[in-house]
Amino acid sequence: MSEKDQVLSEAMNFLEYAKILGVSEVTRQPPKLELHNEELSKTRNLEEISKVIGDCKRCKLCSDRTNIVFGVGNKNADLMFIGEGPGRDEDAQGVPFVGRAGQLLTKIIEAMKISRDDVYIANIVKCRPPGNRNPEPDEVTACMPFLIRQAQLIKPKVIVCLGSVASQNLLGVETKITSLRGNFTSWQNIPVMPTYHPAFLLRNPNMKKPVWEDMQKVMEKLGVSPA
Ligand code: URA
């Protein structure tokens, strides 16, 4: 048996044992903060983070991008939305959530009696994955420290993760979005509400209802009263 097969077999035995003990789910560790990157941990505002990012070439997404999509909104926002990564429109304009899915997100925010300018919106990766594919693990690893620092400086009262890529990467889990959505979890002491991505809602309008239920929980947490 090769060394790799040996390790796999031991891991399988361990998981079987854990299952007998009642463990039903094994999660990855949450992404490392990587703020041992001294330059990043010293940043005091979003402009400084942007300067550290510079003309980023830390992952392969740099080769096809038009613009780095840093994030947009109120730097003191109570509410932060995190999406997956820029699409074509966002790449062209350098602003997150400006395409069709973005317009729907804006409608959702406004239905919450909040202005889009009052929230902060960013993505797991800041450069467009080609063909709108999901960001790959090395791309997420390269980019997430900047998002983490943005969240640390903004200090929102609630984070909403839009879709499975945002939810799974921020929370460091592989749980399906159907199970995650609708329940608050915590990330760095900030309540996180995973919900469906607006692009998914465009394809599945009947899923707008559960998203609205999730947003009502967010409004309650923020103390925003419905109309
Ligand atoms: N989808 C995302 O996840 N992010 C954007 O910025 C646009 C579309």
Side-chain angles (χ1 to χ4, degrees):
M1 194 187 272
S2 73
E3 198 182 333
K4 192 175 155 203
D5 288 344
Q6 176 77 33
V7 171
L8 268 177
S9 152
E10 281 172 20
M12 290 299 290
N13 286 342
F14 174 76
L15 289 173
E16 284 297 332
Y17 177 62
K19 202 169 157 190
I20 292 165
L21 294 181
V23 175
S24 59
E25 187 178 356
V26 178
T27 62
R28 274 188 288 139
Q29 284 297 306
K32 290 253 172 352
L33 294 191
E34 298 202 12
L35 293 184
H36 53 250
N37 175 340
E38 224 178 289
E39 208 185 357
L40 188 54
S41 60
K42 279 188 190 148
T43 52
R44 286 157 303 170
N45 53 50
L46 300 183
E47 291 72 30
E48 287 182 3
I49 301 176
S50 183
K51 269 194 203 147
V52 175
I53 294 175
D55 183 23
C56 188
K57 302 238 175 345
R58 292 170 181 85
C59 86
K60 56 190 178 301
L61 293 181
C62 68
S63 55
D64 286 328
R65 74 158 179 251
T66 312
N67 284 297
I68 294 176
V69 181
F70 178 76
V72 73
N74 182 345
K75 60 182 182 350
N76 299 310
D78 284 346
L79 178 57
M80 179 167 180
F81 287 88
I82 299 180
E84 179 177 321
R88 185 193 300 273
D89 296 315
E90 291 76 20
D91 174 62
Q93 297 184 41
V95 180
F97 282 99
V98 288
R100 276 187 73 220
Q103 285 158 22
L104 179 54
L105 176 62
T106 305
K107 276 195 191 165
I108 294 170
I109 296 167
E110 287 170 353
M112 296 169 77
K113 307 284 162 221
I114 305 173
S115 149
R116 178 171 160 133
D117 293 340
D118 284 340
V119 306
Y120 196 86
I121 307 175
N123 281 306
I124 293 288
V125 293
K126 299 192 187 312
C127 295
R128 183 188 183 207
N132 294 346
R133 64 158 168 76
N134 286 353
E136 291 174 357
D138 59 313
E139 298 156 359
V140 174
T141 304
C143 210
M144 277 237 1
F146 304 111
L147 176 69
I148 290 168
R149 190 65 183 149
Q150 280 169 290
Q152 287 178 340
L153 292 177
I154 293 166
K155 299 192 193 76
K157 290 191 181 136
V158 176
I159 293 176
V160 172
C161 282
L162 300 165
S164 59
V165 169
S167 307
Q168 292 175 345
N169 281 297
L170 190 81
L171 300 172
V173 299
E174 289 177 355
T175 316
K176 291 209 166 74
I177 185 66
T178 40
S179 306
L180 288 173
R181 69 142 282 273
N183 300 303
F184 277 110
T185 32
S186 175
W187 174 81
Q188 299 210 353
N189 289 326
I190 302 171
V192 175
M193 173 58 77
T195 195
Y196 294 128
H197 193 287
F200 175 74
L201 298 185
L202 289 173
R203 298 189 301 272
N204 301 276
N206 56 329
M207 289 293 130
K208 286 182 183 171
K209 189 165 176 271
V211 169
W212 182 237
E213 285 163 9
D214 301 346
M215 294 309 101
Q216 284 178 311
K217 291 181 188 169
V218 170
M219 287 161 75
E220 198 182 334
K221 185 75 89 188
L222 291 170
V224 177
S225 45

